[in-house]
Amino acid sequence: MFVSTPIESGLLIAVVIVFVFQWIAKKKQNKVLENGVYKTFPLVTKTVLTKDTAIYRFGLPNANDVLGLPIGQHISIKASIPTEKGDERTVVRSYTPISSDQDSLGHFDLLVKSYANGTISNLFGQLNIGDKINVTGPQGSYDYSRNCRDMIGMVAGGTGITPMYQVIKAIYEDKKDTTQVYLIFASACEEELFLKNEIDRMARERPNQFHVYYMVEKTEREDWEGGIGYVTREVMDEHLPLPSAAQKVQLLICGPPRMVSSTRRNAISMGYVKGSRVSKMEDQIFTF
C-alpha cells in the first residue's frame, strides 16, 4: 500500500490547482474577430527584421483574448489612402498572422514587408506605437486540422511564408499530428528568408517530419548549402512529395504572382490535380 508524504500530497494538490486554473482560463478566452465587422487594434511593439520588413505586434482588448483565427486563414485590413486628387480611397488587403490562438493571448503578430509603391504595406512602415489598424476576419477557405493530410508540400516566396509558418507551427505543436511537411522557401537573398531560425529549430528537433529546402536568387557565401536561382520543376521533383492515390497529399503555394503561376504549372505537370480557380480546402493544389 502506497502512502504519500505531506510533500507529495502538496505537490499533487498544486498540480491539480494549476490544471484547473489553466482549464478555466482557456474556457474564458474571448475570440475577438467578427467576420464583416472591422475592429481597431493598437500597435504595441515593432521588431525590425530588415530595412523594410518588421514583425508588428497588435494588442487585443483583454489579456486573455485571442483573435479566433483558424489555422491557415487570414485577416483583412482596411485603410483610407490619400490620392493624387486630394481625396481618399478605401483599400483592403489580406494578411496571415504568424501568431496563433494557441500561443498568443492578448495580442497577434503580423510579418509585413513595406513597399514604396504599396498601399497598406507602406502604411505599416509609417505606424508608430499606439497607432491603430482596422481588422476583420476570419477569412479564407483553408482550415487546417490534425492529420487532414498525410503529406503537405509547400512552396513559399518571401513573406508568402506566413501562412506556411502557421500550418507548420500547428503541426509541430501537436504531438499527435504525424503529417509530413516538405517546404521549399525561396527569397531574393538570405536576409529575406524570414522566420528561418524558427523553422530550422522545428526541423532540427523533428528531422523525420519537417523537410526544408531554402533558395536565394544570389549569394556571395561560398558555404551556402541551399539552392540558387528559382523554383523550377527539377527543384520541385527533388524536394516535394509526388501526388499519390494511396496517400492524401496537398501542395500549398504562396508568394509573388509569377512564382505562384509557374509553380502551379509545374505541379500540374507533376501529376497534381489542377483544382478550382479560387482554391478550396479539398483542392490538391491550394494557393493562398
Side-chain angles (χ1 to χ4, degrees):
M1 179 178 178
F2 174 77
V3 178
S4 63
T5 67
I7 293 178
E8 289 170 332
S9 298
L11 287 174
L12 178 60
I13 293 172
V15 169
V16 171
I17 291 173
V18 170
F19 176 81
V20 170
F21 272 101
Q22 288 177 339
W23 182 83
I24 293 174
K26 189 173 182 180
K27 283 290 184 180
K28 289 184 177 180
Q29 285 180 3
N30 178 46
K31 297 179 180 181
V32 301
L33 286 178
E34 293 182 60
N35 199 7
V37 177
Y38 280 91
K39 298 185 177 183
T40 60
F41 305 107
L43 179 66
V44 294
T45 64
K46 175 181 177 179
T47 304
V48 176
L49 302 180
T50 69
K51 65 178 181 179
D52 51 17
T53 308
I55 294 175
Y56 300 85
R57 173 164 293 185
F58 294 91
L60 300 177
N62 302 294
N64 209 43
D65 286 346
V66 295
L67 265 182
L69 191 72
I71 299 299
Q73 295 196 12
H74 58 266
I75 59 175
S76 288
I77 298 174
K78 178 175 69 174
S80 296
I81 306 297
T83 70
E84 295 180 354
K85 297 180 180 179
D87 55 0
E88 293 184 337
R89 64 188 178 100
T90 299
V91 178
V92 178
R93 293 290 184 270
S94 298
Y95 291 90
T96 302
I98 59 173
S99 55
S100 65
D101 291 354
Q102 288 70 36
D103 62 16
S104 301
L105 292 177
H107 68 268
F108 65 95
D109 296 337
L110 296 176
L111 189 159
V112 180
K113 180 175 181 178
S114 299
Y115 296 90
N117 59 347
T119 50
I120 300 292
S121 74
N122 190 35
L123 178 68
F124 268 93
Q126 301 172 17
L127 288 177
N128 296 311
I129 301 301
D131 289 346
K132 296 180 179 180
I133 58 171
N134 297 304
V135 176
T136 190
Q139 295 183 342
S141 56
Y142 198 83
D143 187 358
Y144 182 82
S145 60
R146 175 196 294 165
N147 292 320
C148 64
R149 298 292 185 273
D150 296 317
M151 293 185 286
I152 295 180
M154 301 177 173
V155 179
T159 54
I161 191 62
T162 55
M164 311 301 185
Y165 181 73
Q166 256 216 17
V167 174
I168 293 171
K169 188 167 63 169
I171 294 172
Y172 171 81
E173 291 177 346
D174 186 349
K175 303 304 181 188
K176 294 182 180 180
D177 198 325
T178 59
T179 306
Q180 292 284 314
V181 176
Y182 299 81
L183 168 67
I184 298 174
F185 184 10
S187 271
C189 58
E190 191 174 354
E191 184 185 34
E192 294 188 354
L193 291 171
F194 305 117
L195 304 171
K196 184 177 185 297
N197 290 337
E198 291 84 351
I199 294 170
D200 283 345
R201 176 181 58 82
M202 291 185 279
R204 186 168 56 250
E205 293 181 7
R206 303 239 285 278
N208 294 326
Q209 186 175 14
F210 298 98
H211 315 272
V212 184
Y213 184 68
Y214 298 107
M215 296 192 69
V216 295
E217 292 181 17
K218 58 183 179 179
T219 180
E220 297 180 358
R221 284 179 49 187
E222 295 183 358
D223 59 346
W224 171 247
E225 296 180 353
I228 299 176
Y230 301 98
V231 180
T232 62
R233 166 67 192 273
E234 290 72 25
V235 171
M236 293 171 64
D237 281 335
E238 184 176 355
H239 298 282
L240 295 179
L242 290 173
S244 167
Q247 292 180 304
K248 296 179 292 183
V249 181
Q250 188 175 44
L251 177 63
L252 309 181
I253 309 171
C254 189
R258 289 180 62 182
M259 189 208 78
V260 169
S261 297
S262 64
T263 301
R264 285 176 62 89
R265 289 194 301 270
N266 289 334
I268 293 169
S269 70
M270 292 168 66
Y272 283 88
V273 180
K274 184 177 181 179
S276 315
R277 186 178 176 210
V278 177
S279 294
K280 299 179 180 178
M281 181 64 192
E282 62 268 23
D283 288 347
Q284 199 169 46
I285 301 174
F286 188 98
T287 303
F288 288 100

